[in-house]
Amino acid sequence: MKLYHSPKAPNPERVTQFLKAKGKLDAVEIEEVSIMKQEHKTKEYRKVSPFAQVPALILDDGTQLTESRAICTYFEGIFPERNLMGEDPKEKALIEMWDRRVELMLFIQFATWFRNAHPAMAPLEVPQLPEVGAKAEKNARAMAKRIDAHLADNDFLAAGRFSIADITLNCFCGFAGVMQWKPHEEFANIGKWRARAKDKIG
Ligand SMILES: N[C@@H](CCC(=O)N[C@@H](CS)C(=O)NCC(=O)O)C(=O)O
């Protein structure tokens, strides 16, 4: 099994932090792909990931898996300890609910802002649309505020314990720095939560 990874890119980081939290990072062969050098757009890499995205996981039988959450679901199945996606139907649903909220309402909004506003993204986002970026920034900031309010009464995002939802939010906090935004410094509850989450990832 081989994992194609781009260090510092948030979706690949979601998978490696997930493995790290399980103590299984060393169990997987990792090959690095440079997005900035556009290595993910080569003919060779498109055989691994037809949509030219990172991460991608190739199983020993040749099965291709992309989408960071789907790859995490696979790892949750083969490395059940520590459980990060829920033990019972209620936990599974709560964790998925928060993970999707973070991904769709914060992470993707932020990525849309970044891709449409940052000069380094110009070769990848053609054309860049400043108005789209501005709208997405507003959405991301509003969602960060809602998450901060939720964390005022909760140590972790979902089900009263550390889960993939916290990993997704932790990756987001690191990624936000590309726009000089530090939600964990701007929002006190996110800041306290992040210290707890980092402790669990190791
Ligand atoms: N929904 C996908 C998104 C994957 C994705 O967008 N990966 C980024 C890196 S964080 C990428 O490959 N970007 C290359 C590009 O946009 O050209 C997932 O969760 O894995």
Side-chain angles (χ1 to χ4, degrees), residues 77-98:
I78 61 167
F79 304 131
E81 297 304 327
R82 124 204 337 172
N83 178 287
L84 293 172
M85 290 182 143
E87 296 277 9
D88 57 38
K90 191 166 89 175
E91 271 206 336
K92 284 181 185 170
L94 285 168
I95 290 169
E96 185 173 344
M97 177 180 87
W98 272 104

Side-chain angles (χ1 to χ4, degrees), residues 95 138 185:
I95 290 169
K138 206 172 152 202
E185 290 183 5

Side-chain angles (χ1 to χ4, degrees), residues 6 8-15 35 38 40-41 45 49 51-56 66-71 103 107-108 111 115 121 123-125 175:
S6 300
K8 297 198 178 138
N11 288 296
E13 282 292 322
R14 189 186 194 189
V15 173
I35 293 175
Q38 304 221 18
H40 63 301
K41 300 233 170 165
Y45 186 69
S49 172
F51 293 179
Q53 289 183 328
V54 196
T66 59
E67 292 301 324
S68 51
R69 204 180 198 283
I71 294 171
E103 179 169 357
F107 210 128
I108 291 179
R115 293 183 66 106
M121 284 294 103
L124 292 178
E125 190 66 36
F175 180 38

